[in-house]
Amino acid sequence: MKTRFLLLLLLVTSFAFSQRITESIQSKKLEEERTFTVSLPSNYEFDIEKKFPILVLLDGEYLLNPFEGNLKYGNYWDDLPEMIIVAINQNYGEKRFDDSDYDQTGLPSDKGAKFFEFIGFELLPYIEGKYRTQPFRIIAGHDTTAGFLNFYLYKDDPLFNGYISLGAELAPQMVKRLGERLTLLKKPLFYYHAIGSGDLVDINTNAKALDQTIAAIPNKTFNYRFDQFKGATHYSLVPQAIPQALYFIFEGYQPISMMEYKEKIATLDKGYTQYLIDKYTKLEEKFGLKLKPRLTDFKAIEAAILKNKAYFELQELGKYADKHYPKTTLGTYHQALYYEKSGEFKKAVKEYRKGYTLNEIREITKSFMLDKAEGLKDKEDKSTVEEYAEPTPEEGNGEKKEGE
């Protein structure tokens, strides 16, 4: 028995670590083989329909663990999305400096120019061809590689949607060029820039100059945050900045919190279901991610509707549920609940009984639906729909009909 347990533990442990894959590409641009590590989400093999955004890590050998850990923690609480991480190996010899090389004018040169093209023309096409990806890409780097990632912003159509720059060493003219290029952006872009107060003077001086330049850009499509961590060194700023960067970029991704419910939803006069629809529409527009509305968010909207007796909106909520969770009890439950709260008990019983033929979803089981139907079957209809019904033309104009 003990041997079987140890074998099972070994298999589980082996599977848990199998999500990291070491890969290599024979690069025509660099004229050499380059290695990188692909870290896949834990459920990548199970949810075969799901696609994931990409996080490219420069200095991948030492940035992979802290980024991977923060993403796994955030995803555990559904605060951050699962991502495919591509960690490029650069820490051997002078490789990271060669990869980030630029000339006196401050533009990529020699191996730096080739590495720039390697990422765009070879690495990303390879990853997107082999793995299930969504068109939302982030790139991150530290000191010299953090400066290098800014070169992608010099393009009219930047390759990445998000940029995480940690203690960046900036090339000549980079502050001026970034100010000019970012003003012209036409698509949403996220830029996170962090330094430590204990870092090198040159790094912090240039970082603050860049912050002043970027902060003055009147571009609503550009999302920017700058952090300076008090007492942090060139290296200790990294573990402090990573969670801040990820939560900044994915602000709004999180499920409806108690604070959001109390301050933004429960205080509405109407439009509770529309709030939910807008939340996920904006997330798709912002990140390009197709997300299925969370069941906990449906529950929050249902609670607001019931609290404010806006029963009419339960029908709209049911339609939205049927769109994203077809053939489940969720949408039918909301429609049945509308009839119940409106006093149309016969219709409510009919809807609740439909749950027997549908797929169960969380606590809305078949037995729950049938129990609800059983509890209402002997009740006489007593419509209260007027509590939230939209006014009819006669009600809205305040005039009496002829003969009244």
Side-chain angles (χ1 to χ4, degrees):
M1 183 62 134
K2 184 176 181 181
T3 302
R4 290 176 61 187
F5 174 77
L6 290 174
L7 179 59
L8 178 61
L9 180 62
L10 182 63
L11 288 172
V12 171
T13 304
S14 174
F15 177 77
F17 284 96
S18 68
Q19 296 303 311
R20 283 192 182 186
I21 306 166
T22 300
E23 299 237 31
S24 63
I25 291 178
Q26 187 62 42
S27 171
K28 293 181 180 179
K29 298 290 183 181
L30 295 168
E31 299 179 335
E32 63 181 13
E33 185 178 64
R34 294 303 297 262
T35 61
F36 52 93
T37 300
V38 177
S39 175
L40 296 176
S42 58
N43 70 340
Y44 183 87
E45 299 297 336
F46 296 99
D47 193 350
I48 60 174
E49 299 295 325
K50 189 174 181 180
K51 297 181 179 181
F52 304 87
I54 301 172
L55 170 60
V56 174
L57 296 180
L58 308 177
D59 287 317
E61 292 96 331
Y62 67 85
L63 287 184
L64 176 56
N65 281 337
F67 268 97
E68 186 181 61
N70 275 280
L71 280 170
K72 285 186 175 180
Y73 178 83
N75 182 254
Y76 181 85
W77 300 108
D78 202 15
D79 275 354
L80 297 172
E82 293 181 300
M83 301 189 73
I84 293 174
I85 305 175
V86 183
I88 305 174
N89 297 331
Q90 295 181 276
N91 281 266
Y92 50 97
E94 296 294 309
K95 187 61 65 179
R96 69 193 298 270
F97 300 104
D98 292 340
D99 290 343
S100 306
D101 196 18
Y102 52 81
D103 59 25
Q104 292 182 346
T105 68
L107 296 174
S109 64
D110 298 329
K111 288 189 176 180
K114 294 177 180 179
F115 185 69
F116 181 91
E117 293 187 341
F118 161 72
I119 291 178
F121 291 106
E122 295 180 324
L123 179 63
L124 284 176
Y126 174 83
I127 295 297
E128 292 172 347
K130 183 173 181 179
Y131 299 100
R132 301 192 308 275
T133 64
Q134 291 206 36
F136 188 83
R137 310 179 187 123
I138 300 174
I139 187 169
H142 181 219
D143 59 53
T144 189
T145 62
F148 171 83
L149 61 81
N150 288 307
F151 289 133
Y152 289 103
L153 292 168
Y154 288 5
K155 295 292 185 180
D156 291 334
D157 184 18
L159 186 62
F160 295 92
N161 308 87
Y163 298 77
I164 300 175
S165 174
L166 308 175
E169 296 178 4
L170 304 180
Q173 300 297 314
M174 185 165 275
V175 171
K176 179 176 180 291
R177 286 180 173 134
L178 284 176
E180 294 171 348
R181 298 307 304 173
L182 295 175
T183 304
L184 303 175
L185 279 177
K186 295 182 179 179
K187 70 177 183 180
L189 188 144
F190 305 86
Y191 192 95
Y192 179 85
H193 189 198
I195 58 174
S197 64
D199 207 338
L200 297 174
V201 173
D202 287 348
I203 287 179
N204 286 355
T205 299
N206 289 331
K208 291 175 182 178
L210 179 60
D211 175 52
Q212 291 179 353
T213 299
I214 291 179
I217 295 174
N219 192 332
K220 294 183 179 180
T221 65
F222 181 58
N223 304 276
Y224 172 68
R225 175 170 168 175
F226 174 69
D227 281 335
Q228 179 174 347
F229 295 96
K230 186 177 181 180
T233 66
H234 186 65
Y235 301 105
S236 65
L237 79 90
V238 172
Q240 297 181 63
I242 289 173
Q244 300 298 327
L246 293 172
Y247 276 85
F248 157 69
I249 291 175
F250 290 107
E251 182 182 2
Y253 174 87
Q254 295 76 24
I256 293 172
S257 64
M258 184 60 69
M259 182 178 295
E260 182 180 0
Y261 174 81
K262 288 181 177 179
E263 296 181 358
K264 295 183 179 182
I265 301 174
T267 56
L268 293 173
D269 294 327
K270 60 180 179 179
Y272 307 100
T273 300
Q274 191 60 46
Y275 182 95
L276 182 65
I277 295 171
D278 290 345
K279 176 182 176 72
Y280 284 89
T281 300
K282 290 175 182 176
L283 282 175
E284 184 170 345
E285 292 173 350
K286 185 176 181 181
F287 304 120
L289 305 178
K290 292 188 178 297
L291 303 172
K292 182 175 285 191
R294 299 173 178 89
L295 296 175
T296 55
D297 287 352
F298 273 99
K299 199 69 180 175
I301 298 302
E302 176 193 327
I305 290 173
L306 296 180
K307 179 179 182 295
N308 292 281
K309 297 183 179 181
Y311 304 134
F312 185 83
E313 291 202 20
L314 287 168
Q315 295 188 99
E316 188 180 1
L317 189 62
K319 291 176 183 177
Y320 190 57
D322 283 337
K323 178 180 178 181
H324 292 280
Y325 294 91
K327 299 180 181 179
T328 72
T329 52
L330 187 61
T332 299
Y333 162 73
H334 288 126
Q335 180 63 49
L337 187 60
Y338 161 72
Y339 286 135
E340 179 184 348
K341 293 299 181 180
S342 300
E344 299 184 73
F345 300 119
K346 290 184 174 59
K347 290 182 178 179
V349 168
K350 185 177 180 181
E351 287 296 316
Y352 279 127
R353 284 175 176 170
K354 287 181 182 179
Y356 184 76
T357 64
L358 300 171
N359 297 321
E360 297 178 345
I361 192 164
R362 294 188 66 167
E363 71 275 5
I364 310 175
T365 62
K366 294 180 180 181
S367 60
F368 169 80
M369 297 285 277
L370 293 178
D371 286 346
K372 290 286 289 183
E374 187 68 20
L376 296 174
K377 69 177 184 179
D378 296 324
K379 282 194 171 186
E380 293 293 327
D381 282 0
K382 184 180 179 181
S383 179
T384 58
V385 71
E386 67 271 13
E387 289 185 22
Y388 191 71
E390 294 182 337
T392 63
E394 292 80 6
E395 293 170 330
N397 59 26
E399 297 179 0
K400 289 187 176 182
K401 293 165 65 176
E402 185 177 354
E404 289 185 337

